[in-house]
Amino acid sequence: MNPSTELSPAGAVAAVPAPERASLAPLASRFAMIAVLIGLVVLASILYPGFLAPANLRDLLLQNTAVGIVALGMTFVIISGGFDLSVGATYALGATVSAGVAISTGSPVAGIVAAVLAGLVCGVANGILVARVGINPFVATLGSASVISGVAYLYSSSAPFIVSDADFKILARSSVAGVPTPILVLVVTFVIGGIALAMTRYGRNIYAVGGNHEAGWLSGLRVKDLTASVYVLTGVLAAFAGTIDASRLGVGQADVGANIALDAIAIVIVGGTSLRGGEGAVWRSAVGLLIFATLTNLFYSLNLSQNWQLIAKGTIVLLAVALDSWSRNRRS
């Protein structure tokens, strides 16, 4: 019998070729989290009738704008085969610097620029440690997180910067054509990031570096520069996300963002980007962000404790990593 066909229970020949059937497994794995998201939305709509109300969806996105921007940068890092545990500290530094500089100069714009520059410095430092010095990304960014956090506390003298200037809150509380500015910023950054990763030479090179550093080097890629660039990008995005948080609250302080690194990593992994590098996409991180945002919104609407949220999120992350390992093992 032809190996590419199968007999049906009635004895007829099935019409699906074996190679096509084999290709369905990775396809299903790739889009599995979209099915999870749809299922969660349906469940949330049943348990919380107001879930799909425009006001609730707006609040859902607003509450997750900052972590979404951080997750975008983390997507590039993980696809390149790296890891960045310093984004929480950089986020806090961005919030602190933006508020502190806005107070001292009287210019909210100067505060945002200073925060982004601070994030740039943090990203460059991480890039040098990982790409040039050769320190393991986990160790390098764990150490830099402590240093960056210490700098934020020293700069603020361990006290919050309270900004009274109403213009400082425009970034987080204004809107464009009825769309809140933070949501617009989130969408624009994801679109630009998605295009850069999927449709440019730079993005293709990031995939190549994450898939195999040595092969990328042998093919002529500037592996060290490419590796360093994703940490720079992540540092800038994390600091900018911190400015959005400070603008929303009108306060910049060094103790924010404690869980944002783990949340961002979880979003990227749940979306389907592989921890082993070389595989993933910005749209997957968008799906992961919506899954976590939906879960959080549903838990709050049902008045479930933070403890159950942690259990549910942790379980989803473990399942996502297990799915990634299973998919990789099937292809190897």
Side-chain angles (χ1 to χ4, degrees), residues 197-220:
L197 192 58
M199 301 182 183
T200 67
R201 182 178 180 181
Y202 171 75
R204 291 192 295 271
N205 290 343
I206 293 299
Y207 280 108
V209 169
N212 191 316
H213 277 64
E214 185 176 353
W217 179 77
L218 291 174
S219 64

Side-chain angles (χ1 to χ4, degrees), residues 79-92:
I79 288 177
S80 74
F83 217 67
D84 191 346
L85 293 177
S86 70
V87 290
T90 305
Y91 176 91

Side-chain angles (χ1 to χ4, degrees), residues 22-324:
S23 67
L24 293 178
L27 187 66
S29 174
R30 182 180 184 186
F31 295 103
M33 286 305 157
I34 294 181
V36 172
L37 175 60
I38 294 172
L40 276 176
V41 170
V42 171
L43 178 63
S45 301
I46 295 172
L47 297 177
Y48 175 39
F51 175 78
L52 292 177
N56 184 65
L57 294 179
R58 182 195 62 212
D59 291 342
L60 180 150
L61 291 174
L62 281 173
Q63 292 164 3
N64 291 277
T65 294
V67 70
I69 292 174
V70 176
L72 174 61
M74 191 69 71
T75 303
F76 280 76
V77 172
I78 292 179
I79 288 177
S80 74
F83 217 67
D84 191 346
L85 293 177
S86 70
V87 290
T90 305
Y91 176 91
L93 181 65
T96 305
V97 169
S98 64
V101 172
I103 291 173
S104 61
T105 64
S107 171
V109 174
I112 294 174
V113 172
V116 170
L117 289 176
L120 177 66
V121 171
C122 295
V124 169
N126 282 331
I128 291 173
L129 291 173
V130 174
R132 296 294 177 180
V133 181
I135 302 176
N136 178 278
F138 184 92
V139 177
T141 58
L142 181 63
S144 66
S146 180
V147 173
I148 296 168
S149 181
V151 170
Y153 276 105
L154 285 173
Y155 174 71
S156 63
S157 299
S158 300
F161 287 117
I162 301 175
V163 186
S164 58
D165 187 349
D167 290 340
F168 183 73
K169 300 179 181 179
I170 289 179
L171 176 62
R173 301 190 180 184
S174 61
S175 62
V176 178
V179 180
T181 301
I183 295 177
L184 189 61
V185 170
L186 177 66
V187 172
V188 170
T189 53
F190 263 76
V191 170
I192 294 174
I195 292 173
L197 192 58
M199 301 182 183
T200 67
R201 182 178 180 181
Y202 171 75
R204 291 192 295 271
N205 290 343
I206 293 299
Y207 280 108
V209 169
N212 191 316
H213 277 64
E214 185 176 353
W217 179 77
L218 291 174
S219 64
L221 296 181
R222 301 176 66 175
V223 173
K224 291 183 178 180
D225 290 342
L226 288 166
T227 300
S229 71
V230 296
Y231 290 94
V232 174
L233 174 65
T234 304
V236 169
L237 289 176
F240 180 65
T243 68
I244 295 177
D245 180 78
S247 176
R248 178 175 62 87
L249 300 174
V251 177
Q253 50 194 34
D255 61 352
V256 296
N259 297 321
I260 203 164
L262 294 179
D263 286 347
I265 293 170
I267 286 168
V268 176
I269 295 171
V270 166
T273 294
S274 175
L275 276 174
R276 302 182 188 182
E279 181 180 337
V282 169
W283 70 262
R284 295 190 186 189
S285 294
V287 172
L289 174 63
L290 292 175
I291 287 174
F292 268 74
T294 300
L295 272 177
T296 302
N297 186 267
L298 178 60
F299 285 150
Y300 279 126
S301 68
L302 297 177
N303 293 319
L304 295 180
S305 71
Q306 181 74 16
N307 298 332
W308 284 109
Q309 293 187 43
L310 292 174
I311 292 172
K313 290 180 178 179
T315 300
I316 291 176
V317 170
L318 290 174
L319 290 174
V321 173
L323 179 62
D324 174 58

